[in-house]
C-alpha cells in the first residue's frame, strides 16, 4: 500500500557545524542537509513505489484523454528534481501519442538538479521528439514571472511531485495550474496530491 504521507522517522539527522538555535533553519538554507533529509524520507517511505504505480497504472489512461489531434503536447513539470520521474512520464506521453512533438517546461529551483536533469537528457537516447526548457526557480517565482509577463501559455498536462510543501500558497498554486491547463482538458484532469 502506498503510504508516503505516513512517514515515521526513527533517527535524526544531526546538524553539522550549527549551534542549537540554527538547527531549526529551513532545509533550503543547507543543500547537503536537505539531500540527506530527503534520502532518509525516501528510505523510509513508499514514495517511489507509489509513483511507479501511478505512472504505470493510472497515467496512461489520463494521457489518452489529452492531445488528440494536436501536432504537439505541452507538459509542465514543477519541482522536477533531476528528471528521472519526469522522463518516465514523458515516455508514457510518447507511448500514447507517438506522432506528436512534446514541449516540456521544467520548473526546478535547485541548480544542481537542473544540471543533473540536463545530463540525463543528454545521455538518454531517442528524445528527438521532445524539447526541454529549464526554468531554475521556485514554483512561486515561476507563477509570479508568468503573471508579470502576462503569459497566457497553456499546458495539456501539468504535474508536481513534492511541491506543495514549499509553495507560498497551496490554493494559489493549484489555481495557477488550473488556469494554465488547456481548456478542453480542464474538466477531465486529475489531481494526485501527496
Amino acid at each position: 500500500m502506498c503510504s508516503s504521507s505516513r512517514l515515521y522517522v526513527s533517527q535524526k539527522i544531526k546538524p553539522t557545524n550549527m549551534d542549537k538555535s540554527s538547527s531549526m533553519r529551513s532545509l533550503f538554507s543547507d543543500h547537503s542537509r536537505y539531500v540527506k533529509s530527503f534520502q532518509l524520507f525516501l528510505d523510509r517511505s513508499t514514495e517511489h513505489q507509489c509513483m511507479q504505480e501511478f505512472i504505470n497504472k493510472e497515467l496512461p489512461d489520463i494521457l489518452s484523454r489529452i492531445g488528440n489531434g494536436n501536432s504537439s503536447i505541452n507538459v509542465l513539470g514543477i519541482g522536477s528534481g533531476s528528471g528521472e520521474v519526469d522522463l518516465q512520464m514523458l515516455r508514457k506521453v510518447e507511448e500514447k501519442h507517438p506522432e506528436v512533438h512534446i514541449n516540456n517546461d521544467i520548473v526546478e529551483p535547485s541548480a544542481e538538479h537542473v544540471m543533473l536533469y540536463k545530463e540525463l537528457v543528454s545521455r538518454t537516447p531517442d528524445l528527438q521528439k521532445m524539447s526541454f526548457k529549464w526554468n531554475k526557480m521556485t514554483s512561486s517565482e515561476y507563477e509570479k514571472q508568468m503573471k508579470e509577463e502576462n503569459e497566457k501559455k497553456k499546458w495539456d498536462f501539468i504535474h508536481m511531485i513534492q511541491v506543495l510543501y514549499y509553495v507560498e500558497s497551496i490554493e494559489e498554486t493549484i489555481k495557477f495550474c488550473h488556469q494554465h491547463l488547456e481548456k478542453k482538458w480542464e474538466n477531465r484532469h486529475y489531481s494526485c496530491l501527496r
Side-chain angles (χ1 to χ4, degrees), residues 126-140:
D126 302 324
L127 297 179
Q128 296 85 359
K129 288 190 171 188
M130 294 182 199
S131 60
F132 297 85
K133 180 181 177 190
W134 285 273
N135 300 280
K136 193 196 105 25
M137 60 184 69
T138 66
S139 174
S140 299

Side-chain angles (χ1 to χ4, degrees), residues 62-169:
I62 294 168
L63 294 175
S64 68
R65 301 168 192 219
I66 67 169
N68 297 329
N70 293 348
S71 60
S72 65
I73 291 178
N74 297 319
V75 176
L76 174 61
I78 303 175
S80 295
S82 51
E84 292 89 356
V85 175
D86 277 27
L87 282 185
Q88 289 180 45
M89 287 192 277
L90 291 170
R91 289 295 194 194
K92 293 294 182 185
V93 174
E94 187 178 53
E95 285 175 19
K96 283 292 179 184
H97 305 281
E99 69 287 351
V100 304
H101 183 82
I102 301 166
N103 301 307
N104 188 34
D105 291 300
I106 298 113
V107 177
E108 170 56 49
S110 165
E112 182 180 350
H113 283 148
V114 170
M115 180 191 68
L116 291 170
Y117 197 149
K118 288 179 179 181
E119 288 174 3
L120 178 63
V121 167
S122 72
R123 65 177 191 269
T124 302
D126 302 324
L127 297 179
Q128 296 85 359
K129 288 190 171 188
M130 294 182 199
S131 60
F132 297 85
K133 180 181 177 190
W134 285 273
N135 300 280
K136 193 196 105 25
M137 60 184 69
T138 66
S139 174
S140 299
E141 290 168 340
Y142 188 71
E143 291 171 39
K144 183 179 178 189
Q145 176 183 299
M146 294 277 290
K147 288 174 186 171
E148 287 173 355
E149 295 174 358
N150 200 24
E151 178 65 54
K152 304 287 188 212
K153 184 167 184 171
K154 300 284 186 178
W155 289 277
D156 299 295
F157 179 61
I158 300 172
H159 63 86
M160 298 181 265
I161 301 171
Q162 296 188 3
V163 170
L164 297 180
Y165 308 120
Y166 306 105
V167 299
E168 293 171 15
S169 167

Side-chain angles (χ1 to χ4, degrees), residues 54 58-70 97 155-158 178 181-192:
F54 173 77
E58 296 178 43
L59 188 59
D61 183 52
I62 294 168
L63 294 175
S64 68
R65 301 168 192 219
I66 67 169
N68 297 329
N70 293 348
H97 305 281
W155 289 277
D156 299 295
F157 179 61
I158 300 172
H178 186 73
L181 190 63
E182 187 62 56
K183 290 287 183 209
K184 57 187 166 188
W185 314 126
E186 74 177 0
N187 293 323
R188 294 193 274 178
H189 77 282
Y190 296 83
S191 297
C192 180

